[in-house]
Amino acid sequence: MTEQDDTQERVEGVGGVLDALEQAVVQARAMPMSSSVLVNRAELLELVDEVRAALPAQLHRADEVLADADAARAQAQADADAVLARARARAAELVDQESVVAQARERAAQIVAEAQETAEGLRRDADDYCDRRLADFEIDLGKVLSQVQAGRAKLAGRLAPGDGATSV
């Protein structure tokens, strides 16, 4: 496989390879007086290998998204900690004035709550994105499984003894 083919495979991903599988079956030559078609075994096996090769890459990308979300959440927590530290330092400077101390504590609590909300929102967004990607993978795999099961059922019907059909 050339580097260009390898790049095209990465761009297409699982969906592209599944589309190619579908096109190979749709464009296959029909058997006379039958709903069966002749397909190029090598071509289909190559496409199945491409799906197998693409899935780890897709899953790796999903892992990267999760890692990015964790990093973003850690950064948000670090930012919140830094803001909180600054708020505490400022409150310590103003400890002589009671009302200022109360306001500083209130503002620090507000900043922490905002930072926690931001971190939680980032985590939810990352989890939602990963769930959508995994659902897409599940759908793609279900389609491939359905096609494989349908193909095996057709083969089983043709291979059944006593049906009078000859296999090609």
Side-chain angles (χ1 to χ4, degrees), residues 23-106:
Q23 282 302 311
V25 173
V26 167
Q27 294 174 356
R29 190 175 62 161
M31 296 291 295
M33 298 174 38
S34 170
S35 64
S36 299
V37 293
L38 291 175
V39 291
N40 183 326
R41 179 185 305 192
E43 179 184 348
L44 289 183
L45 289 175
E46 183 179 328
L47 290 171
V48 168
D49 286 343
E50 288 182 27
V51 168
R52 283 192 179 121
L55 279 176
Q58 296 285 333
L59 294 175
H60 179 69
R61 279 187 239 143
D63 287 341
E64 288 174 348
V65 168
L66 285 173
D68 290 347
D70 287 342
R73 186 178 46 172
Q75 182 61 44
Q77 185 62 48
D79 291 346
D81 291 344
V83 168
L84 184 58
R86 286 193 305 269
R88 286 182 179 148
R90 181 73 178 134
E93 292 173 9
L94 301 173
V95 77
D96 292 336
Q97 303 171 13
E98 247 180 75
S99 65
V100 173
V101 170
Q103 290 174 354
R105 286 184 182 154
E106 187 175 303

